Amino acid sequence: MDALPPENLYPYTVSRPIYSNPTFEEDNERQAREERTLRERLSRTCGCSGRQALKVVKGVFPVIDWLSRYPIREWLPSDVISGVSTGLVCSLQGLAYALLVSVAPVYGLYSAFFPILTYFLLGTSRHISVGPFPVTCLMVGSVVLTLAPDDHFLLPGNGTGVNGTKADGIVVDMEAMEAQRIMVASSMTVLVGLFQVVMGLLQVGFLVRYLSDPLVGGFTTAAAFHVLISQLKIVLSVPTNNHSGCFSILYTLIDVFTNIRQTNRADLVAGLLTIVIVMAVKEVNTKFRHKIPVPIPIEVIVTVVAAGISYATELDSRYGASIVHSIPRGFAPAQPPNIALLWNILGSSFSTAVVGYAVAVSVAKVYAAKHDYTIDGNQELIAFGFSNVFCGCFSSFVASTALSRTAVQESTGGKSQMAGIISAVMVMIVILALGHLLEPLQKSVLAAIVIANLKGMFMQVTEVPTLWRQNRADCFIWLATCLASVVLGLDVGLLAGLVFEMGTVVVRTQFPACSTLGNIPEMDARNKFPGIKIFKCNAPIYFANIDYFKERLRATVGFDSVRVFKKRNKALKKIHKLIKKGKLRATETGEVVSEVTLGVDNKGFESERDSGRESGQVEDGDWPVPEVEVHVDWAMELPVRVSVPKVQIHSLVLDFSAVSFLDVVAVKSLRLVIKEFLRIGVNVYIAGCDDEIVWKMEALAFFDEEVIRDLLFLSVHDAILFIKLETANGSMQDAMVEGVRDPEICGLFSDFN
């Protein structure tokens, strides 16, 4: 709604009593906190009825809920079409992403099949396509290359055997290497699944919220660079060493350019053509998505054509092209994970579990919002966890989702996970019957398909200028995470980015935005508030920012209350000495602004005084002499040569409406600050505290004989009106009990901002 023009704005008044927190609680009964015993909580949690049991079962197996209400006639035809299209894409992406894990392509088909089965039963998203994701595949692949490099399987030999390759008289035992690598990948997948299941059972799905959009954007962009470099050597078909960890991209690039003369031209041409064609057709699909009923399955078309050309022209034997070679029919037998490997991959498995879940939930939330339904984050953890445990036992690698594959499933009419089951059937057909037809396919074509699907991840770079304009901190998070992930590797880079993000949060709360409030300048002079300062802190107050809070408060009021107190004591001692000598008379001079009684305990700085006395470092004039009561107008010129800072205010209002929590250090420091102001004659009021802050103050013993609960007010308006009444008639109690009935004063509710 458009704002009203100034001529249509009407003044209004609010008439109600001025409320401090205690008086408000007297008029409105404060609801006591409900405290349950451990037995009551357990009985309520563990109690069971038929309805509750059915609800729990539906929560664990969401398929029971939506399948019983599945509209067959309306949704099944769309799900069939979507499932067939998505199944073909799943098969080809499974073959391609297996290269990222450094295992045989057939294991990519397994990874595109098994996770769908368990997610169908346990998942809450209707639209995501479960299966391999480039980032998680690369994270698994880096662990595979670390624990099972080529150097561990070198055998002396003079020729090339059936299961080995010759390299300068050295034979690599390919069969043993492949078996070990898939064991590492599947064992890591099981461990990733266990991490996710445990996190889901502990209801810690909220932890993914710490992976902010800028952090995920920077991380996935860096992952895209890693994927590109890892597939570049396959497109060029040049030999390289296996690198992982810090500077792995740099080392791989050095190997690629060192051996660039060994590039296989057939693989290079096939790879470049595939990249150009796939990206061009994807652009057409995107541009005309509203006119094309079904997106053109360009990956399928390119793969079939490339496999046919390779078979017809015998690229393997005639031009030395690197092809898939063997895709065995059927499924590999189930095998348990290698327990001995788990201890070596704990850290990498946890980071992979978090990344896989974060990406999947992010994509699921996008489509859930689009189609107006909700997903359960903790149930998603359990669903992906069991999916990874299940597929890890069948020689598969980590499952998540991919935005491109999910977009295919949704855009082709997918309505539910029934489309996912049909896509799994299509993958199964490829595994059991059609896989051998893809054996002549060049690996460079698969690598090119992977590279072509990285466009969306690379396009995230365009977010950086926008982040720079909108929020510099988020921009720095994006850049730091991306740079760290490129240089240090994906697992360490993710941790570094997360630490940097937490650091920015600490810095932003450690140096919060503090402001001084006041009246609107254009208002009438009667609405000005001389002698009153209103200080607002827009952040929680805790141990890390309490010193900054006090610095900003001193800058706002314009003086240091501790220094004022000491200077006044010093001046009073000199005045006392002059009175003893008869040079001054102990009479009032002018209007009394502040009355200070010699001998008042320095309650705000008791520890400082005691420590000074014990160490013998107390300077002359620091402590008052308890003999004579002297009244001094501190606004007037003093009869002694002591520079006492001027105090221009009589009241300070702390606006805590934006303060969300306090800790024990903050409470102690705030109580000390209030006492510092009180002893120099400045009254302090706290406004806008919610019940949780008040409860925390009470729990941490914030209130005592000097700092009483009457200094708490519901709002800044209440505090200002109370101060004006107090200065007008000096009757705080009457103003609080009887309230305000003066229309002129009540009008300040509308005038004050």
Side-chain angles (χ1 to χ4, degrees):
M1 180 181 294
D2 296 335
L4 293 174
E7 59 270 15
N8 291 334
L9 296 177
Y10 298 97
Y12 66 93
T13 60
V14 177
S15 179
R16 67 166 175 82
I18 299 175
Y19 276 129
S20 67
N21 281 53
T23 55
F24 182 78
E25 291 173 5
E26 289 178 7
D27 294 347
N28 303 274
E29 183 179 356
R30 185 180 184 181
Q31 186 175 0
R33 287 173 172 263
E34 184 180 0
E35 298 290 342
R36 293 193 182 95
T37 64
L38 178 61
R39 182 177 181 180
E40 290 174 342
R41 290 197 296 267
L42 289 176
S43 63
R44 183 171 182 176
T45 303
C46 301
C48 185
S49 64
R51 180 175 297 179
Q52 289 177 331
L54 180 60
K55 184 177 180 181
V56 170
V57 172
K58 287 184 177 180
V60 176
F61 298 99
V63 64
I64 298 176
D65 185 34
W66 66 262
L67 193 59
S68 61
R69 298 180 286 106
Y70 184 80
I72 298 178
R73 293 184 179 180
E74 297 178 12
W75 285 10
L76 186 58
S78 299
D79 280 340
V80 171
I81 296 173
S82 175
V84 172
S85 304
T86 308
L88 295 174
V89 176
C90 284
S91 301
L92 298 178
Q93 288 190 352
L95 293 171
Y97 294 157
L99 302 180
L100 297 174
V101 188
S102 301
V103 295
V106 67
Y107 298 111
L109 293 175
Y110 300 159
S111 303
F113 172 74
F114 287 108
I116 299 176
L117 305 180
T118 47
Y119 189 84
F120 175 80
L121 300 175
L122 302 174
T124 59
S125 174
R126 302 175 190 169
H127 294 89
I128 64 172
S129 175
V130 183
F133 177 59
V135 176
T136 54
C137 290
L138 190 63
M139 296 177 75
V140 175
S142 64
V143 175
V144 168
L145 294 179
T146 301
L147 298 182
D150 296 345
D151 297 342
H152 289 185
F153 304 95
L154 299 180
L155 299 173
N158 297 321
T160 301
V162 176
N163 296 320
T165 58
K166 179 180 177 182
D168 298 330
I170 302 298
V171 175
V172 179
D173 189 348
M174 297 297 294
E175 184 175 354
M177 182 180 70
E178 191 63 50
Q180 181 63 18
R181 286 186 172 180
I182 192 58
M183 176 57 70
V184 173
S186 60
S187 299
M188 182 175 176
T189 300
V190 171
L191 186 56
V192 166
L194 291 176
F195 273 127
Q196 291 175 333
V197 170
V198 171
M199 291 170 65
L201 294 176
L202 295 177
Q203 303 287 297
V204 294
F206 67 90
L207 290 178
V208 75
R209 299 174 187 171
Y210 290 100
L211 302 179
S212 64
D213 289 345
L215 185 142
V216 173
F219 175 77
T220 51
T221 303
F225 279 103
H226 279 278
V227 173
L228 174 63
I229 300 303
S230 68
Q231 298 306 287
L232 181 62
K233 62 184 180 182
I234 300 177
V235 172
L236 297 175
S237 192
V238 296
T240 61
N241 295 321
N242 298 323
H243 303 288
S244 61
C246 298
F247 303 103
S248 58
I249 284 184
L250 179 61
Y251 296 144
T252 302
L253 282 175
I254 292 174
D255 289 348
V256 168
F257 286 108
T258 301
N259 302 317
I260 195 70
R261 295 181 181 274
Q262 302 180 39
T263 299
N264 185 286
R265 295 181 180 178
D267 286 337
L268 177 61
V269 171
L272 293 178
L273 286 175
T274 300
I275 293 174
V276 172
I277 294 173
V278 171
M279 293 186 68
V281 176
K282 281 183 173 291
E283 284 295 321
V284 173
N285 285 338
T286 302
K287 187 174 182 179
F288 299 100
R289 61 181 179 274
H290 299 297
K291 298 180 180 180
I292 303 176
V294 177
I296 301 173
I298 187 59
E299 290 100 336
V300 178
I301 297 173
V302 168
T303 302
V304 173
V305 172
I309 293 175
S310 177
Y311 177 78
T313 58
E314 299 180 354
L315 294 178
D316 179 24
S317 58
R318 295 178 60 181
Y319 299 98
S322 177
I323 64 174
V324 173
H325 278 300
S326 176
I327 300 181
R329 294 183 178 181
F331 295 95
Q335 57 180 347
N338 189 336
I339 304 299
L341 293 173
L342 300 183
W343 300 106
N344 299 324
I345 56 178
L346 281 176
S348 299
S349 298
F350 181 76
S351 59
T352 305
V354 173
V355 171
Y357 169 70
V359 171
V361 169
S362 299
V363 176
K365 285 183 177 179
V366 170
Y367 287 98
K370 181 178 179 180
H371 294 276
D372 193 24
Y373 65 93
T374 59
I375 62 170
D376 185 341
N378 291 306
Q379 181 62 26
E380 288 294 295
L381 265 175
I382 295 174
F384 278 102
F386 278 111
S387 296
N388 283 316
V389 171
F390 179 64
C391 68
C393 294
F394 286 91
S395 303
S396 305
F397 44 84
V398 175
S400 180
T401 189
L403 185 58
S404 60
R405 194 169 60 244
T406 301
V408 171
Q409 180 166 316
E410 191 267 345
S411 62
T412 52
K415 304 294 184 182
S416 69
Q417 280 302 322
M418 190 67 72
I421 284 293
I422 296 172
S423 68
V425 172
M426 294 300 300
V427 177
M428 183 179 65
I429 293 174
V430 173
I431 294 174
L432 297 178
L434 304 179
H436 69 283
L437 299 177
L438 299 176
E439 291 179 354
L441 181 65
Q442 292 169 268
K443 289 184 178 180
S444 64
V445 174
L446 295 176
I449 292 175
V450 173
I451 294 174
N453 281 283
L454 296 177
K455 179 190 172 184
M457 298 169 69
F458 278 121
M459 290 302 293
Q460 294 176 122
V461 176
T462 59
E463 298 175 2
V464 176
T466 304
L467 287 175
W468 180 261
R469 292 190 300 269
Q470 294 177 344
N471 192 315
R472 300 285 176 87
D474 287 340
C475 182
F476 287 137
I477 292 172
W478 196 103
L479 294 174
T481 305
C482 183
L483 183 62
S485 300
V486 169
V487 175
L488 304 177
L490 294 180
D491 48 357
V492 179
L494 177 63
L495 178 61
L498 187 59
V499 171
F500 183 84
E501 181 187 45
M502 294 295 102
T504 61
V505 174
V506 172
V507 170
R508 281 183 278 184
T509 57
Q510 188 171 356
F511 302 101
C514 299
S515 55
T516 305
L517 306 182
N519 63 296
I520 300 175
E522 291 77 10
M523 291 296 179
D524 188 77
R526 68 181 178 86
N527 291 329
K528 294 183 179 179
F529 311 125
I532 304 174
K533 283 286 186 181
I534 309 171
F535 180 77
K536 182 175 183 179
C537 179
N538 295 312
I541 305 177
Y542 64 110
F543 67 92
N545 66 3
I546 185 62
D547 290 333
Y548 180 77
F549 173 87
K550 292 190 289 186
E551 291 175 6
R552 295 289 299 167
L553 181 58
R554 282 194 293 267
T556 297
V557 299
F559 58 86
D560 185 345
S561 58
V562 177
R563 184 169 179 268
V564 171
F565 181 78
K566 290 186 176 182
K567 288 292 185 179
R568 287 184 179 182
N569 275 339
K570 187 174 182 179
L572 284 171
K573 186 171 184 181
K574 288 189 176 184
I575 292 173
H576 177 67
K577 288 181 179 179
L578 292 176
I579 291 175
K580 277 188 173 182
K581 293 178 181 180
K583 295 182 179 181
L584 288 176
R585 289 181 301 172
T587 60
E588 297 182 356
T589 58
E591 181 182 358
V592 177
V593 176
S594 175
E595 179 175 306
V596 180
T597 303
L598 294 179
V600 175
D601 290 338
N602 186 356
K603 297 180 180 179
F605 282 81
E606 289 174 357
S607 60
E608 180 181 341
R609 180 177 63 183
D610 295 339
S611 61
R613 287 177 174 174
E614 293 172 1
S615 61
Q617 297 177 351
V618 178
E619 297 180 359
D620 184 37
D622 278 352
W623 313 114
V625 179
E627 292 184 8
V628 181
E629 185 179 273
V630 179
H631 301 275
V632 179
D633 187 348
W634 297 107
M636 305 294 291
E637 184 178 354
L638 300 178
V640 293
R641 293 183 178 179
V642 178
S643 177
V644 179
K646 301 297 182 182
V647 177
Q648 304 293 341
I649 64 173
H650 57 75
S651 299
L652 172 65
V653 179
L654 302 178
D655 184 357
F656 275 19
S657 58
V659 176
S660 57
F661 73 85
L662 301 168
D663 68 351
V664 62
V665 176
V667 167
K668 289 182 178 179
S669 298
L670 283 173
R671 184 172 61 244
L672 188 61
V673 167
I674 293 174
K675 290 183 177 181
E676 290 171 1
F677 280 102
L678 289 176
R679 70 189 180 193
I680 63 172
V682 177
N683 295 320
V684 182
Y685 307 91
I686 301 177
C689 294
D690 60 23
D691 290 341
E692 190 67 25
I693 296 295
V694 176
W695 177 83
K696 182 63 68 175
M697 288 179 174
E698 294 173 345
L700 296 177
F702 177 73
F703 304 105
D704 57 18
E705 294 180 356
E706 289 185 273
V707 182
I708 59 177
R709 295 186 81 255
D710 288 337
L711 62 81
L712 299 179
F713 284 83
L714 294 187
S715 68
V716 174
H717 293 73
D718 289 285
I720 295 297
L721 293 176
F722 173 74
I723 294 170
K724 289 179 71 66
L725 285 176
E726 185 184 25
T727 50
N729 55 35
S731 178
M732 180 177 63
Q733 185 65 29
D734 291 344
M736 293 169 61
V737 174
E738 297 177 5
V740 178
R741 291 293 181 266
D742 187 347
E744 182 178 357
I745 296 179
C746 292
L748 291 177
F749 271 113
S750 59
D751 295 339
F752 176 73
N753 183 17

